[in-house]
Amino acid sequence: MNVLVLTAYPPVLAMHGGGVRMFHNIRILSTRHHVHVISFVGDDEERERLRSLSAIAASVTAVRRVPDFRPHWLSLKPFLAREFSTPEMSRVVMETIRSQRIDVVQCEYLQMAQFRSRRLPSVLTAHETLARNAYDAFRTSSEPAERLHRFYLWMQLLRYETQQTRKFDRVITMTEEDARYLRSYAPGAQIRAIPIGVDTDEFSPLEEDPGQRLSALFVGNFRHFPNVAAVRFLVDRIAPIFPEIQFVIPGDHLPGDVKAPGNVVFPGYVQDTRVLYRRPNTIVVTPLFSGSGQRVKLLEAFSMGCPVITTRLGAAGYPVVNGEQALFAETPEEFASAISKLASDTNLRRSMGSRGRRMALGRFAWNGLATQYLDVVEEAVAARRVSMKSRNGVSRHC
């Protein structure tokens, strides 16, 4: 088949978690089908990174994203739809569908749902349930004007997410919890939870280095608000308590107003993040308090054999037992206690990392997830063909 994959962000490795998921989606599809990729890019650097897809995709096209920042008072569409509604994308999508004889369209992220073709089978990968995120923001706001604004944004997203979910032949979520949430508003939609995976051969534990300094690591792309909140939490509330531990926080687009104490390092974009996971002396700390879906950063840490401290929300989608594969913490005091516990016990760090590695091997290796993913895309095409035959049969009898 000819598969068209539409991505809101570059589907490349070592940029952000969603990029990792999209890259492997494309790689898996290419083992059976011809895959054509059209991706939004924000700048020339992102355009250059798309070159890494040339070995697995039949074609790769970049479209510069031009957000619409004009005020749209009382609009029923959420900002994310306008932010990604560049006319050039519509043109390129229609042209590719015609020239490459596309059989099925796959949209990565809700932002890309607006570009599906009504006449072709379609699959939506919902990396997060955005309406639920908006509800959480509304629920936790306290100032009346802000609560009203947050309620309006929640209603916008809920309406849009529900409408778009119903239009697709198949929808893929990261977690069963996200799938249940979408089904509650779109009960007729064909939704399946397929977790993220990891290349357990590529992300395998490095040799131990006894001279390695103890460090705390948080990896993230800082265009994503939960990651920004996590950095501020670490810098303001946690790092000052542990001047002897180096906090390493790599990632793109760090806000300029983040000021760090002397034991915090911001290395920026790191192309190969594997070098950061130096077991057993790297403690991965992920204080995530909002968002949905699964966190690739945790899975990579598990696969690299490093101990993890996270919130229960951060561990969503993983069969983690507190004290086994990770330590759970929700408050500054609990994070400080967990870091102290791991920092003082090398054997605990080593054993926790080993259990996380076994979980990654047993449940989240890409080789074991590939068939599930291929089946969903191929089912979408088969289901549409059956539907068309049924409608044609009814028409002939009429």
Side-chain angles (χ1 to χ4, degrees):
M1 292 192 305
N2 291 311
V3 182
L4 177 59
V5 178
L6 308 178
T7 69
Y9 311 99
V12 297
L13 302 174
M15 187 172 170
H16 53 84
V20 172
R21 169 83 187 213
M22 292 187 290
F23 177 89
H24 285 288
N25 285 354
I26 293 165
R27 179 185 61 79
I28 291 167
L29 281 171
S30 69
T31 62
R32 289 190 192 174
H33 308 294
H34 301 287
V35 183
H36 301 270
V37 179
I38 306 175
S39 175
F40 273 121
V41 295
D43 51 39
D44 290 339
E45 183 179 352
E46 291 186 355
R47 188 186 299 270
E48 184 65 24
R49 290 178 186 176
L50 285 178
R51 292 182 181 272
S52 62
L53 291 173
S54 59
I56 59 174
S59 69
V60 183
T61 305
V63 175
R64 188 66 175 261
R65 181 163 56 90
V66 183
D68 178 4
F69 289 115
R70 294 173 301 168
H72 291 260
W73 304 114
L74 302 180
S75 171
L76 294 177
K77 283 188 176 182
F79 172 68
L80 68 85
R82 302 193 305 274
E83 184 184 10
F84 289 82
S85 62
T86 307
E88 177 67 5
M89 176 61 76
S90 297
R91 185 191 67 78
V92 173
V93 168
M94 290 188 291
E95 183 179 282
T96 304
I97 287 174
R98 288 194 301 267
S99 64
Q100 302 299 334
R101 297 186 176 184
I102 298 300
D103 297 295
V104 57
V105 177
Q106 174 161 331
C107 298
E108 294 281 341
Y109 286 94
L110 180 64
Q111 292 91 313
M112 304 306 291
Q114 60 192 304
F115 300 108
R116 62 177 283 277
S117 171
R118 294 182 179 181
R119 64 182 183 84
L120 291 177
S122 57
V123 178
L124 172 66
T125 303
H127 290 247
E128 295 184 83
T129 48
L130 296 182
R132 188 171 67 171
N133 295 350
Y135 169 72
D136 288 341
F138 159 70
R139 181 176 53 84
T140 56
S141 59
S142 56
E143 200 274 327
E146 181 186 6
R147 281 183 61 82
L148 180 61
H149 179 62
R150 294 291 183 184
F151 179 80
Y152 172 63
L153 296 179
W154 170 36
M155 290 293 99
Q156 272 188 325
L157 270 169
L158 182 60
R159 177 180 179 275
Y160 188 75
E161 192 169 53
T162 301
Q163 285 181 337
Q164 296 299 331
T165 297
R166 290 171 174 166
K167 293 177 181 179
F168 283 81
D169 296 276
R170 293 292 185 275
V171 177
I172 298 171
T173 65
M174 308 296 104
T175 68
E176 187 57 45
E177 184 179 8
D178 284 354
R180 285 195 299 268
Y181 180 86
L182 290 180
R183 290 189 196 109
S184 70
Y185 292 103
Q190 296 295 316
I191 303 170
R192 185 176 305 177
I194 302 177
I196 61 171
V198 65
D199 186 334
T200 53
D201 292 329
E202 182 178 8
F203 283 86
S204 59
L206 303 175
E207 288 189 14
E208 293 190 16
D209 179 2
Q212 184 72 24
R213 178 182 176 182
L214 187 66
S215 65
L217 174 67
F218 177 81
V219 179
N221 182 290
F222 302 113
R223 283 177 173 167
H224 194 46
F225 173 76
N227 289 339
V228 175
V231 169
R232 296 190 190 282
F233 178 87
L234 289 173
V235 167
D236 296 340
R237 307 297 298 274
I238 305 302
I241 302 174
F242 301 97
E244 74 284 5
I245 297 177
Q246 185 178 63
F247 283 72
V248 182
I249 305 176
D252 277 342
H253 308 290
L254 183 73
D257 63 342
V258 174
K259 306 299 180 185
N263 62 328
V264 178
V265 178
F266 296 113
Y269 172 72
V270 176
Q271 184 170 2
D272 187 354
T273 57
R274 292 174 299 176
V275 301
L276 302 171
Y277 296 97
R278 302 297 312 195
R279 69 177 180 115
N281 291 332
T282 298
I283 302 171
V284 176
V285 185
T286 55
L288 296 168
F289 303 103
S290 63
S292 55
Q294 275 183 295
R295 276 68 178 193
V296 171
K297 59 175 70 70
L298 259 69
L299 185 52
E300 292 178 350
F302 291 137
S303 191
M304 293 295 291
C306 289
V308 171
I309 304 170
T310 189
T311 59
R312 285 172 173 78
L313 178 65
Y318 298 111
V320 171
V321 176
N322 187 25
E324 294 293 318
Q325 300 87 359
L327 293 177
F328 288 156
E330 306 294 339
T331 66
E333 294 75 19
E334 289 176 355
F335 271 94
S337 176
I339 291 173
S340 295
K341 184 175 182 178
L342 287 172
S344 64
D345 193 335
T346 304
N347 289 331
L348 177 60
R349 298 198 300 273
R350 187 178 288 117
S351 61
M352 185 173 291
S354 296
R355 288 190 290 269
R357 170 71 177 172
R358 287 197 295 272
M359 179 185 69
L361 285 168
R363 299 285 294 273
F364 299 100
W366 274 120
N367 290 341
L369 298 171
T371 300
Q372 297 180 49
Y373 179 64
L374 285 164
D375 286 349
V376 170
V377 176
E378 291 165 2
E379 283 172 12
V381 177
R384 179 65 72 93
R385 288 172 179 168
V386 170
S387 176
M388 290 296 294
K389 287 181 180 179
S390 176
R391 284 201 295 267
N392 289 340
V394 170
S395 297
R396 284 195 296 271
H397 283 91
C398 291

